[in-house]
Amino acid sequence: MAEHLDIAQGTKAEKYATLFPQIEAVVSAEKDIIANMANVAAMIHETFGFWWTGFYRVIDNELVLGPFQGPLACTRIRKGKGVCGTAWAQEATQVVPDVDQFPGHIACSSASRSEIVVPVFSSSEVIAVLDIDSAELNTFDTIDQEWLEKIAALIAK
Ligand code: SME
């Protein structure tokens, strides 16, 4: 297995297309979900240079901070709260072009301007969310959603 990440070049879609098989290889070589979340957060973060990339895990009916890259973050989020808790409650990806327009957005960092949160399912239950914050507005669209949902599906395997 490659010990380093060859940073993907090109358009966003091309970057995801290059990154995805690398993530697939890393995740299939390891069964511990925390180790895999740690590497997946690192690979996404390094490829795109996002502000914050990480996971919250569902533990005792709360989201608890998991492996991440970026600045210090809130440690616990209740179901239905913020973008993360909404993705969990609705069992659906949330694409937020402007966090200031999202009612109840939890500002872990004032630098975060847009966000995407993708649920991680195991046996049709949400076991975690993948949360990515950008320091710019309108960073995320259906291309991110499509690829990040595919990446989230690898995590739970
Ligand atoms: N903004 C998130 C909280 C987590 S931080 O962005 C890392 C939310 O509203 O759920």
Side-chain angles (χ1 to χ4, degrees):
M1 195 201 75
E3 294 293 316
H4 68 285
L5 178 66
D6 291 321
I7 300 297
Q9 305 290 326
T11 64
K12 176 156 77 175
E14 285 165 352
K15 286 183 180 178
Y16 277 116
T18 304
L19 180 62
F20 186 77
Q22 296 178 337
I23 288 180
E24 214 168 17
V26 164
V27 164
S28 65
E30 171 57 54
K31 64 181 187 328
D32 185 85
I33 196 166
I34 302 290
N36 284 334
M37 286 175 167
N39 270 335
V40 168
M43 293 169 87
I44 295 171
H45 199 74
E46 201 179 355
T47 296
F48 293 100
F50 293 133
W51 176 254
W52 194 94
T53 309
F55 291 88
Y56 282 87
R57 295 191 302 142
V58 176
I59 299 172
D60 296 336
N61 211 38
E62 245 183 344
L63 288 171
V64 181
L65 183 64
F68 72 95
Q69 298 276 316
L72 178 84
C74 336
T75 55
R76 285 171 191 269
I77 299 171
R78 291 203 304 279
K79 195 170 191 174
K81 299 292 176 191
V83 187
C84 291
T86 301
W88 176 21
Q90 296 187 2
E91 303 189 348
T93 296
Q94 307 294 307
V95 177
V96 182
D98 177 354
V99 295
D100 290 338
Q101 304 302 316
F102 189 97
H105 167 257
I106 301 164
C108 292
S109 158
S110 58
S112 172
R113 307 295 304 281
S114 59
E115 182 164 1
I116 186 168
V117 180
V118 178
V120 177
F121 294 94
S122 177
S123 310
S124 70
E125 245 189 64
V126 177
I127 58 157
V129 298
L130 168 58
D131 177 18
I132 305 179
D133 287 28
S134 166
E136 283 152 38
L137 292 169
N138 299 305
T139 295
F140 305 103
D141 57 25
T142 51
I143 295 172
D144 301 277
Q145 175 169 358
E146 187 186 309
W147 283 102
L148 293 170
E149 286 177 357
K150 279 165 63 111
I151 290 168
L154 292 177
I155 289 282
K157 275 199 186 137

